[in-house]
Amino acid sequence: MTLIKSISGIRGTIGGQTNDNLTPVDAVKFAAAYGSWLKSYSEKDKLKVVIGRDARLSGEMIQNLVVSTLVGLGIDVIDLGLSTTPTVEIAVPLEKVDGGIILTASHNPKQWNALKLLNEKGEFLDAEQGAKILALAEKEDFEFAEVDDLGEIIKNDSYIDIHIDEVLELPLVDAETIKKAGFKVVVDGVNSTGGIAIPKLLEELGVEVVKLYCDPTGQFPHNPEPLKEHLGDICKKVVEEQADFGIVVDPDVDRLAFISNDGEMFGEEYTLVACADYVLSKTKGNTVSNLSSSRALRDVTEKHGGAYEAAAVGEVNVVAKMKANNAIIGGEGNGGIIYPESHYGRDALVGTALFLMLMAERGGTVAELRASYPSYFMSKKKIQLTSDLDVDALLEAMHNKYKDEEVSTIDGVKIDFPENWVHLRKSNTEPIIRIYTEAKSQDEADVLADRIIGEIKEVAGLE
């Protein structure tokens, strides 16, 4: 059980002690800190904020606490109810409000929840803004509204439909082209809001949908992180149904993974590669992903005559780099697609539509598409942190050990070898060190990861 306070919000497990877990007291404190910061940041007399949540079990409780806290500060709230992270992100500018909060712990298991905080553009706060909110929460320096100045709650449950309409109106999405292809797709919505949004989008695009775990009860049928080891059911179902492919999303629908027609993983790293391939084939431009993402995006971008750049891990860092480099598509190798033509946020609905367009125009099977891309294999491992472990000193030791290689310290330590790479960094969302490697075969990637883990343990005295 733990509480993680970071510039992107607050994330923790439900129950337990205040300041150690995401208790009702902590939810109120951080909602009050966000609302108080917003009042100092904005020049308006009356503020309005959009709030939505995924379907996890604690969602309604946390939402009631957060909404009531903002109302107590004199802030009006547009309550979207069950929603997705990208839906809240597009609602903020469409409603011309001052900020947004998404109540979701993304891919974390059911005992977790979080407050993800947005600015008036519907984008995640920058480091400076996040730090100010953490400082306000620490001081508990809040001034609540008098009774005549309380905020009001406006309920609006139409935004998933509005979001779908926004996707259908994108210039590179043509519903008729997709309908003519006659796709059959299995959807694993992990019993959260993706089970509402993705099937609705597919039906609008004329796709035959087979639903798997699409009832938004919050009872996740498997670990909600869309990794191969958690997705045995949909891999079998795609083959049984003779479907064209499968779609898997995480509970808040900002990560997107595909299952090929043969029941194999398309590879979450290749979600962005495929979507970028389609967009770059229509529009010349640049791309961005994070340091932990596959080299395959660089290869595809250069094939289309564009330039690729790597950003520090974290959506806010990728977005900043995309804006600086005028990237026309970008994202993260965890299946997060950021397409600025829609909005600057990871969006599985946008990614789904772009992928369907690619398949409809290119023809062939999803397995054949995957085989057409440069072949890289990743290993994603982690080491659990203990309170006495000095992570910074450990990363510095690894940097020194490999100082003769090409090393980046933008975010943790990334060591680029000629044929492979390894990226070591402390997680923003869990008490772990992440060890990502990539190589030309799965065996090579796994061997490299295990070797580096052994070296880390030796340096840390964990052997």
Side-chain angles (χ1 to χ4, degrees):
M1 296 298 197
T2 190
L3 184 70
I4 298 170
K5 305 166 190 175
S6 75
I7 57 167
S8 60
I10 175 158
R11 182 182 300 237
T13 47
I14 300 299
Q17 298 285 315
T18 56
N19 295 317
D20 289 332
N21 309 88
L22 187 57
T23 68
V25 173
D26 295 291
V28 168
K29 182 166 75 173
F30 280 89
Y34 173 72
S36 299
W37 168 77
L38 211 54
K39 287 167 81 171
S40 66
Y41 171 72
S42 174
E43 295 174 2
K44 294 184 189 170
D45 292 331
K46 189 67 175 174
L47 300 181
K48 192 178 282 186
V49 168
V50 169
I51 294 187
R53 65 181 177 89
D54 70 15
R56 62 184 62 233
L57 299 172
S58 60
E60 191 172 3
M61 175 190 77
I62 297 294
Q63 182 158 10
N64 289 336
L65 290 161
V66 169
V67 168
S68 296
T69 302
L70 294 177
V71 166
L73 286 163
I75 297 171
D76 292 342
V77 173
I78 300 177
D79 175 6
L80 304 189
L82 286 174
S83 191
T84 78
T85 286
T87 303
V88 177
E89 290 170 346
I90 68 155
V92 170
L94 285 175
E95 291 290 329
K96 298 182 172 62
V97 298
D98 305 288
I101 302 178
I102 308 140
L103 304 171
T104 174
S106 301
H107 61 274
N108 291 98
K110 68 177 183 179
Q111 66 268 33
W112 289 80
N113 212 331
L115 282 67
K116 286 177 157 182
L117 310 174
L118 304 176
N119 63 19
E120 77 283 2
K121 296 176 185 172
E123 298 169 15
F124 287 110
L125 306 184
D126 63 30
E128 186 183 345
Q129 293 166 336
K132 285 178 181 173
I133 291 167
L134 292 178
L136 280 169
E138 192 68 31
K139 290 183 200 164
E140 297 190 27
D141 184 15
F142 317 129
E143 186 171 336
F144 290 93
E146 302 288 336
V147 69
D148 291 328
D149 299 322
L150 297 174
E152 64 172 313
I153 302 168
I154 305 115
K155 291 194 180 287
N156 185 341
D157 62 1
S158 65
Y159 254 93
I160 286 178
D161 292 328
I162 293 169
H163 187 178
I164 289 168
D165 288 342
E166 291 282 309
V167 173
L168 296 176
E169 287 167 13
L170 289 169
L172 292 190
V173 175
D174 181 63
E176 284 307 311
T177 298
I178 293 169
K179 280 173 188 169
K180 283 177 189 164
F183 292 119
K184 181 180 183 181
V185 173
V186 181
V187 177
D188 179 350
V190 73
N191 285 343
S192 188
T193 48
I196 303 170
I198 299 293
K200 270 191 173 187
L201 171 66
L202 293 175
E203 284 158 7
E204 287 286 330
L205 291 167
V207 175
E208 182 184 345
V209 180
V210 179
K211 295 181 183 179
L212 181 67
Y213 309 134
C214 285
D215 189 11
T217 60
Q219 293 285 4
F220 303 147
H222 53 76
N223 184 308
E225 188 163 15
L227 302 177
K228 181 177 182 178
E229 56 266 32
H230 309 145
L231 301 177
D233 290 353
I234 188 172
C235 290
K236 284 183 202 158
K237 194 78 171 168
V238 167
V239 175
E240 284 170 12
E241 293 284 342
Q242 296 184 311
D244 292 288
F245 60 97
I247 292 174
V248 187
V249 292
D250 64 340
D252 70 322
V253 203
D254 62 359
R255 286 175 63 174
L256 175 64
F258 297 117
I259 312 300
S260 295
N261 52 293
D262 55 5
E264 295 295 321
M265 293 291 293
F266 187 73
E268 60 173 357
E269 289 290 330
Y270 284 80
T271 302
L272 176 55
V273 174
C275 291
D277 189 20
Y278 172 66
V279 171
L280 291 166
S281 73
K282 304 291 184 183
T283 319
K284 298 301 176 195
N286 304 325
T287 65
V288 169
S289 65
N290 67 37
L291 285 163
S292 284
S293 299
S294 175
R295 283 180 180 174
L297 179 62
R298 178 200 65 187
D299 295 351
V300 166
T301 304
E302 291 174 355
K303 180 189 84 173
H304 287 290
Y308 165 80
E309 290 279 344
V313 173
E315 186 170 326
V316 67
N317 300 317
V318 173
V319 166
K321 181 76 81 172
M322 286 179 71
K323 289 178 178 179
N325 292 3
N326 296 315
I328 59 170
I329 189 167
E332 299 188 286
N334 58 12
I337 306 298
I338 302 173
Y339 184 46
E341 184 74 27
S342 175
H343 65 114
Y344 276 107
R346 294 181 304 172
D347 191 330
L349 280 78
V350 168
T352 294
L354 295 175
F355 187 79
L356 283 163
M357 285 299 298
L358 175 68
M359 288 304 303
E361 289 197 353
R362 197 160 290 189
T365 68
V366 171
E368 287 166 349
L369 176 71
R370 174 64 181 82
S372 74
Y373 291 127
S375 200
Y376 295 105
F377 296 82
M378 291 188 80
S379 177
K380 298 183 178 184
K381 302 197 176 188
K382 53 193 175 188
I383 296 175
Q384 200 72 29
L385 293 181
T386 55
S387 56
D388 59 340
L389 198 60
D390 186 339
V391 179
D392 292 333
L394 193 152
L395 292 176
E396 188 176 350
M398 294 302 290
H399 178 201
N400 291 337
K401 183 178 175 73
Y402 289 101
K403 63 181 184 293
D404 294 335
E405 303 292 342
E406 186 183 331
V407 180
S408 168
T409 55
I410 295 170
D411 180 15
V413 175
K414 183 173 183 181
I415 307 155
D416 265 296
F417 303 106
E419 293 296 315
N420 47 45
W421 56 258
V422 59
H423 188 199
L424 314 171
R425 59 181 290 273
K426 186 176 177 181
S427 170
N428 295 326
T429 57
E430 298 175 69
I432 57 173
I433 296 175
R434 296 191 186 278
I435 299 99
Y436 284 14
T437 62
E438 183 173 68
K440 291 291 182 76
S441 76
Q442 193 61 56
D443 278 349
E444 286 177 62
D446 290 338
V447 166
L448 177 58
D450 290 339
R451 189 189 95 206
I452 296 292
I453 287 171
E455 290 173 5
I456 290 171
K457 287 182 173 177
E458 191 178 332
V459 168
L462 296 174
E463 292 284 48

